[in-house]
Amino acid sequence: MDQDFLDILQQHTAGNPMNSSIRWTYLKPREIVSELLKKGYSVSRNIVRYLLKKHEYVKRKAQKNITMGGHPDRNAQFENITQLKQDYLDAGNPVISMDTKKKALLGTFYRNGSLYTQAAIQTNDHDFPSSATGSVIPHGFYDLKRNTGYITLGTSHDTSEFACDSLFQWWVNEGVIHYPKAKSLLILCDGGGSNSSRHYIFKEDLQKTANALGLEIRIAHYPPYPSQYNPIEHRFFPHVTRACEGVVFDSVETVKTLISRTSTSKGLTTIVHILDKIYETGRKYAADFKEIMPIVFDTHLPKWNYRAIPQE
């Protein structure tokens, strides 16, 4: 039986081209049972599961561990971020991790996860955007020192203006309360999206925010590809995802209620704010901004490290 079992799997097995010792089969236990029945064996799914385990076929999920690319300055920027974080924390200045979660449609759409219910929750069989009543964009901040999260729920577009407006809301609602003596704010963020390190529109909007707050804002971008090391990605967003599992996003208020419940036994708490403002896409920075911008770039890795100093 063992040999016949292996022969069946051999015909329905794929492997890792980089590692010949890693193989997987796309047959399900019931399908293997059917194949063994054709060979004259009377077996159950339990026997097939035993054979799978015996021959080291274990059910696993794929893991996102293969780096798609690298950068020669990657390690240098990680070391720089480590030093910046320590300097700011020692000085009593806030260190904030920033990122945006994937936009979600509002309406009767299926969402992963399960709930305790008295009857099955019915949702649309297709997720057509045209059937949505709107959308919600969760823009998040994670305070490394205080272990707190702050989410701004946008209902328009994920633009640099939205990112900076979210930052403004975080500061006036949370930051200035807990860091009244702060001289500067360090923000750790990815290098793409609405806060792209390559886009001058983000720098222009950031400068406007620094002027409005009267606070120096220092940006440190993570290098390309290792955005998973951004603290918000593993200290805050996974808990937000769990708080929303299985619940239909029928309105922005529902999303706010769900995310507000995000917490952990280690003290993580979450505040949620709705920003119901229309944001224009495709905006261009001012014609003379590159020539006169007051953004101060670091001498070390300036493309990823710079400051917006408030102007009078």
Side-chain angles (χ1 to χ4, degrees):
M1 184 188 294
D2 278 85
Q3 188 57 52
D4 285 337
F5 168 80
L6 291 174
D7 289 344
I8 291 169
L9 261 63
Q10 181 64 36
Q11 300 172 33
H12 303 277
T13 294
N16 186 338
M18 304 302 292
N19 187 342
S20 60
S21 67
I22 300 177
R23 303 178 305 279
W24 61 86
T25 180
Y26 46 82
L27 289 179
K28 293 180 172 56
R30 61 177 175 80
E31 295 172 321
I32 299 174
V33 168
S34 178
E35 293 297 322
L36 286 172
L37 287 174
K38 293 177 183 178
K39 291 183 177 289
Y41 296 101
S42 178
V43 297
S44 66
R45 295 186 191 182
N46 287 336
I47 294 296
V48 168
R49 292 189 181 98
Y50 165 77
L51 290 171
L52 286 167
K53 184 176 181 181
K54 177 181 178 181
H55 294 285
E56 299 182 344
Y57 283 87
V58 180
K59 197 171 186 179
R60 299 182 176 93
K61 289 185 178 180
Q63 298 179 358
K64 294 183 177 181
N65 289 330
I66 301 176
T67 302
M68 293 181 61
H71 194 284
D73 295 323
R74 169 177 167 155
N75 288 341
Q77 180 62 355
F78 271 103
E79 292 172 358
N80 184 57
I81 288 175
T82 299
Q83 186 62 54
L84 284 173
K85 286 194 297 185
Q86 193 59 55
D87 291 346
Y88 269 69
L89 292 172
D90 289 345
N93 288 322
V95 180
I96 304 300
S97 176
M98 176 175 80
D99 200 6
T100 307
K101 282 181 67 65
K102 182 180 178 181
K103 178 171 71 173
L105 296 176
L106 297 177
T108 315
F109 299 110
Y110 172 83
R111 290 182 52 77
N112 286 328
S114 57
L115 300 169
Y116 286 102
T117 67
Q118 293 182 318
I121 298 174
Q122 304 297 321
T123 62
N124 298 341
D125 58 356
H126 288 83
D127 295 343
F128 293 131
S130 58
S131 302
T133 57
S135 62
V136 61
I137 305 168
H139 189 281
F141 296 93
Y142 174 72
D143 187 329
L144 273 67
K145 181 180 180 180
R146 298 182 55 248
N147 189 31
T148 58
Y150 187 94
I151 293 280
T152 300
L153 297 177
T155 57
S156 179
H157 300 285
D158 183 21
T159 66
S160 63
E161 186 181 11
F162 170 58
C164 290
D165 282 353
S166 300
L167 172 59
F168 183 91
Q169 293 293 335
W170 173 82
W171 179 255
V172 298
N173 291 324
E174 285 287 298
V176 71
I177 297 173
H178 299 287
Y179 300 97
K181 297 181 180 180
K183 303 297 182 184
S184 182
L185 166 65
L186 173 61
I187 298 180
L188 311 176
C189 56
D190 298 344
S194 58
N195 48 249
S196 174
S197 61
R198 302 181 301 276
H199 294 169
Y200 283 96
I201 187 64
F202 171 64
K203 295 177 177 65
E204 184 177 42
D205 288 337
L206 185 72
Q207 184 63 56
K208 293 177 181 177
T209 304
N211 294 344
L213 296 177
L215 178 71
E216 177 185 279
I217 303 173
R218 172 180 279 278
I219 297 293
H221 292 281
Y222 281 88
Y225 300 108
S227 60
Q228 68 270 22
Y229 293 102
N230 194 353
I232 195 171
E233 294 288 351
H234 50 88
R235 297 188 190 178
F236 182 42
F237 278 170
H239 304 297
V240 173
T241 299
R242 279 192 287 272
C244 300
E245 283 183 336
V247 183
V248 174
F249 283 1
D250 55 8
S251 69
V252 179
E253 288 71 22
T254 296
V255 180
K256 179 182 179 180
T257 299
L258 290 170
I259 295 180
S260 297
R261 296 170 49 245
T262 303
S263 61
T264 67
S265 59
K266 294 184 178 180
L268 174 69
T269 57
T270 305
I271 294 176
V272 185
H273 173 82
I274 297 175
L275 189 55
D276 193 11
K277 176 181 175 180
I278 303 300
Y279 289 97
E280 177 188 353
T281 59
R283 288 173 54 237
K284 304 295 184 182
Y285 57 85
D288 59 347
F289 177 72
K290 287 180 67 175
E291 288 72 28
I292 66 172
M293 67 174 174
I295 296 289
V296 178
F297 292 88
D298 289 8
T299 55
H300 180 56
L301 300 175
K303 58 190 172 185
W304 294 330
N305 304 281
Y306 48 87
R307 292 174 293 149
I309 301 174
Q311 306 294 300
E312 296 183 357

